[in-house]
């Protein structure tokens, strides 16, 4: 996670003064703020004067108004004393963040005031991300879990199609997650979702370079089905949304310039939301507890089977040099990383192809 520090300082010729130090993230967005990731982690005020200061107010202002800001008060700060506020609750303006379509530059301004006199002021710049923008490793990578959106209206419709496909192959099967305690039945549910998405005539779009580090805008499920275009990460999050809504436990995996998907065949997780040990992933795949598979085939002219997509992904896991990390979405949910609210159309409006 990147941070920005800002402080006001005096030169050796200046008299001692009040100084402010602010530690804040360089990026913020709906995904981080709805999941209580503190934008301003710490503010310090130091009284460098020889006198005790009384009735000090701290004003934290957000420009533009992505949050309400905050106010704090100290009855007194002794000479040479430093006070710390951590973390700072900015009270997000969710409506503003929800409607933001493009990233904008913003700032967080902190002022120390007494008797209507400003004792010190400092401003920290930040990038306010669009509603559908993921920051990659510039923030918590685990926030990718917010872009698995199982409650999107189109996901219900896709899973309904997958359920019908599953029952057409075996009338005893249903999209019941892990209730059967049978890995083969879980595989068949994943396969039905994979086949359903393969029939949606989605076209592939190249992702931006190094998106695993710098992030990218991620097309939401309704957006993908509207424009029929998706990157590897878009497709991975679409699949993750369907799997999660079906009661299954997906993972998103990242290598240099690529993303793909995984799913547990048993109801477990890695114990941590972020896994950067590729050997730990390979071990679970070889044990038959986890499958990983490519999603780019969903946007190719000749659609692969799930088994073929798994083979491609297993080969990718052998390339340790390019593997970056995996995010276990179920574990992220246990850590209270919630899905983004859907901007999707009403249920009666559908972009999904008949079938």
């Amino acid at each position: 996670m990147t941070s920005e520090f800002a402080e006001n300082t005096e030169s050796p010729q200046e008299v001692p003064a009040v100084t402010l130090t602010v530690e804040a993230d360089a990026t913020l967005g709906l995904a981080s703020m709805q999941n209580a990731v503190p934008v301003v982690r710490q503010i310090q005020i130091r009284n460098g004067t020889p006198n005790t200061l009384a009735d000090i107010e701290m004003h934290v202002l957000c420009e533009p108004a992505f949050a309400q800001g905050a106010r704090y008060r100290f009855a007194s700060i002794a000479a040479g004393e430093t006070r710390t506020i951590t973390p700072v609750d900015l009270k997000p303006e969710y409506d503003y963040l929800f409607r933001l379509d493009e990233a904008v530059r913003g700032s967080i301004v902190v002022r120390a005031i007494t008797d209507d006199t400003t004792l010190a002021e400092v401003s920290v710049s930040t990038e306010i991300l669009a509603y559908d923008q993921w920051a990659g490793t510039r923030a918590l990578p685990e926030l990718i879990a917010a872009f698995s959106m199982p409650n999107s209206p189109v996901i219900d419709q896709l899973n309904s199609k997958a359920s019908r496909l599953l029952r057409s192959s075996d009338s005893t099967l249903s999209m019941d997650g892990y209730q059967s305690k049978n890995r083969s039945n879980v595989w068949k549910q994943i396969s039905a979702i994979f086949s359903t998405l393969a029939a949606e005539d989605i076209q592939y779009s190249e992702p931006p370079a190094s998106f695993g580090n710098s992030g990218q805008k991620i097309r939401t499920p309704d957006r993908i089905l509207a424009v029929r275009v998706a990157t590897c990460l878009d497709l991975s999050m679409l699949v993750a949304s369907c799997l999660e809504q079906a009661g299954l436990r997906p993972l998103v995996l990242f290598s240099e310039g690529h993303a793909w998907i995984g799913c547990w065949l048993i109801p477990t997780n890695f114990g941590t939301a972020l896994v950067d040990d590729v050997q730990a992933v390979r071990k679970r795949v070889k044990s038959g507890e986890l499958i990983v598979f490519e999603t780019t085939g969903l946007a190719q002219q000749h659609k692969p089977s799930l088994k073929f997509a798994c083979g491609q992904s297993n080969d990718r896991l052998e390339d340790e040099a390019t593997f970056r990390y995996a995010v276990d979405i179920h574990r992220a949910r246990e850590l209270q990383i919630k899905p983004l609210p859907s901007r999707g159309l009403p249920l009666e409006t559908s972009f999904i192809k008949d079938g």
Side-chain angles (χ1 to χ4, degrees), residues 23 44 58 69 103-104 132 148 202 238:
E23 182 180 346
Q44 286 190 330
M58 302 287 293
V104 298
D132 54 358
S148 177
I202 300 168
L238 177 64

Side-chain angles (χ1 to χ4, degrees), residues 6-119:
E7 61 181 332
N8 60 319
T9 60
E10 64 270 6
S11 67
Q13 290 77 29
E14 293 178 327
V15 297
V18 175
T19 58
L20 292 172
T21 304
V22 179
E23 182 180 346
D25 277 1
T27 64
L28 64 94
L30 181 58
S32 60
M33 297 196 80
Q34 78 162 3
N35 287 297
V37 176
V39 176
V40 179
R41 289 191 296 283
Q42 180 174 280
I43 298 173
Q44 286 190 330
I45 177 171
R46 181 178 183 275
N47 179 7
T49 74
N51 305 311
T52 295
L53 298 174
D55 295 324
I56 307 300
E57 288 192 357
M58 302 287 293
H59 295 189
V60 186
L61 310 173
C62 301
E63 302 173 353
F66 61 85
Q68 297 175 33
R71 290 195 177 193
Y72 301 90
R73 182 180 176 277
F74 296 110
S76 65
I77 304 177
E81 183 181 8
T82 298
R83 295 288 190 94
T84 300
I85 304 169
T86 181
V88 178
D89 181 8
L90 295 180
K91 300 180 178 61
E93 292 286 2
Y94 291 113
D95 187 65
Y96 174 88
L97 297 168
F98 181 75
R99 297 179 185 280
L100 192 60
D101 288 318
E102 297 294 339
V104 298
R105 295 302 303 178
S107 61
I108 300 164
V109 180
V110 181
R111 295 191 184 108
I113 301 173
T114 184
D115 293 330
D116 296 324
T117 300
T118 298
L119 301 174

